[in-house]
């Protein structure tokens, strides 16, 4: 699956073209109802892709406060696997919105380049959907996003989604 996405990186219309191909590829191999991607720039993050823009819009930069989730994913560069609503509440301030969308499990994969976390892949599904095996599959997609996140940082703004 990843091999079929690599040629897309050379096509015009990046990073949106990659996002549009990555979304169904992740849906097929990992599964998700909500897919978002955040790029990290210093102490700020920005959502540059969302398959549910009415609930999770693409927007400009915002400060990223110190949170246990941020420590785990952004600083320690470890994936987060939240299997149930309790884990979602631990990780995300907007857990009520997440629950209202019928979502109760999450995987967050750090995208790391040159020793720095430059973004995250964020997959959400119904409660108890995700297992460790899903994390391992999702991790394989992270390197594909390095150019998109570096470009987002360079441009200093969000792409259109």
């Amino acid at each position: 699956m990843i091999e079929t996405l690599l040629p897309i990186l050379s096509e015009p219309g990046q990073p949106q073209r990659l996002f549009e191909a990555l979304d169904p590829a992740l849906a097929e191999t990992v599964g998700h109802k909500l897919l978002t991607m955040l790029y990290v720039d210093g102490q700020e993050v920005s959502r540059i892709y969302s398959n549910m823009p009415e609930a999770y819009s693409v927007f400009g930069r915002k400060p990223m406060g110190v949170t246990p989730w941020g420590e785990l994913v952004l600083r320690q560069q470890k994936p987060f696997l939240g299997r149930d609503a309790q884990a979602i509440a631990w990780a995300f301030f907007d857990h009520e919105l997440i629950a209202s969308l019928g979502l109760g499990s999450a995987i967050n994969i750090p995208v790391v380049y040159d020793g720095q976390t430059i973004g995250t892949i964020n997959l959400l599904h119904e409660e108890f959907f995700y297992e460790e095996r899903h994390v391992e599959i999702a991790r394989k997609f992270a390197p594909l996003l390095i150019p998109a996140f570096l470009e987002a940082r360079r441009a200093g703004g969000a792409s259109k989604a």
Side-chain angles (χ1 to χ4, degrees):
M1 179 63 68
I2 293 171
E3 297 79 19
T4 63
L5 296 172
L6 285 171
I8 292 169
L9 289 170
S10 65
E11 295 178 7
Q14 297 301 323
Q16 191 62 30
R17 177 68 184 100
L18 175 63
F19 296 159
E20 290 169 356
L22 187 63
D23 192 337
L26 281 167
E28 181 181 327
T29 59
V30 181
H32 66 77
K33 291 186 176 185
L34 172 61
L35 169 65
T36 68
M37 290 178 239
L38 297 173
Y39 85 90
V40 179
D41 192 7
Q43 297 301 312
E44 297 180 318
V45 296
S46 181
R47 189 175 302 114
I48 58 173
Y49 180 81
S50 173
N51 72 335
M52 286 187 185
E54 61 286 347
Y56 285 95
S57 63
V58 174
F59 56 81
R61 299 153 74 96
K62 70 176 183 175
M64 179 65 181
V66 177
T67 67
W69 177 91
E71 176 61 30
L72 178 71
V73 177
L74 302 179
R75 288 175 247 329
Q76 293 180 26
Q77 301 173 339
K78 295 179 181 175
F80 169 71
L81 169 59
R83 299 201 66 241
D84 59 23
Q86 183 177 352
I88 298 296
W90 173 85
F92 307 116
F93 73 90
D94 60 344
H95 57 90
E96 291 175 353
L97 173 58
I98 291 169
S100 77
L101 296 171
L103 306 171
S105 63
I107 294 175
N108 305 114
I109 303 293
V111 176
V112 179
Y113 177 75
D114 195 24
Q116 293 184 347
T117 304
I118 60 171
T120 62
I121 303 170
N122 312 297
L123 302 148
L124 289 95
H125 213 299
E126 61 200 32
E127 195 169 31
F128 301 111
F129 181 84
Y130 291 125
E131 299 174 2
E132 192 61 43
R133 67 183 176 87
H134 294 105
V135 173
E136 294 310 311
I137 296 167
R139 288 177 85 156
K140 295 175 183 176
F141 287 86
L144 287 172
L145 288 162
I146 290 172
F149 289 136
L150 289 176
E151 176 59 19
R153 288 173 69 172
R154 186 199 65 76
S159 72
K160 295 184 169 89

